[in-house]
Amino acid sequence: MLNNINDFFEFNKIILNSRIFKQESIASNIANSETPNYNRKDIDFKDLLNNTILSNRKNDLTITCNSHIKKKNKYFNINNYIKILEKKNKFKKNKSVNINEEKIKFLKNSLEYEIDIALINNKIKNIYLAIQG
């Protein structure tokens, strides 16, 4: 049971950290919207989630030979999921950032962060109630 609780916190830590980083990258995109040759940055959230789920699965295989494939490092590195997008803005030449789109993404990410916090709080309350009996 403690392993499940630990996995729950580890998984949600990665999710919340990725939301924070996404917020920072969107803020950076907004701040640099007028910077010449700046390319928009974003996180590939789908790829991040898939890799996180795969890395958290139990692997009970034992490595008995050096030629066996080793399990990937469980440590999380957000830099593996940063995408630098070179898509040009439709409305301004040589601009990759549409500030209105970035503001909407900023608000959406803020709401998703708040939802994640509420879900985590509910799960913690349920764990607490289960422990109390």
Side-chain angles (χ1 to χ4, degrees), residues 77-110:
N77 184 357
I78 193 77
N79 293 324
N80 295 335
Y81 303 99
I82 297 172
K83 288 180 15 181
I84 297 175
L85 305 173
E86 296 182 14
K87 180 182 164 190
K88 301 292 182 196
N89 187 340
K90 297 176 190 174
F91 305 107
K92 292 183 177 180
K93 291 183 178 179
N94 298 326
K95 302 282 183 188
S96 69
V97 178
N98 181 335
I99 197 159
N100 290 329
E101 286 180 10
E102 297 299 318
K103 286 179 182 175
I104 292 170
K105 288 177 185 175
F106 192 88
L107 290 173
K108 181 182 174 201
N109 194 55
S110 297

Side-chain angles (χ1 to χ4, degrees), residues 14 72 84:
I14 292 170
K72 289 183 177 179
I84 297 175

Side-chain angles (χ1 to χ4, degrees), residues 102-125:
E102 297 299 318
K103 286 179 182 175
I104 292 170
K105 288 177 185 175
F106 192 88
L107 290 173
K108 181 182 174 201
N109 194 55
S110 297
L111 291 173
E112 289 171 343
Y113 182 85
E114 293 296 324
I115 291 169
D116 288 341
I117 293 291
L119 292 174
I120 291 169
N121 282 337
N122 281 338
K123 183 74 174 183
I124 291 170
K125 285 177 188 172

Side-chain angles (χ1 to χ4, degrees), residues 11 15 44-57 72 81:
F11 179 78
I15 298 299
D44 188 352
F45 197 76
K46 181 180 174 185
D47 196 29
L48 171 96
L49 195 58
N50 285 337
N51 285 337
T52 302
I53 290 169
L54 288 175
S55 68
N56 283 339
R57 285 189 180 158
K72 289 183 177 179
Y81 303 99

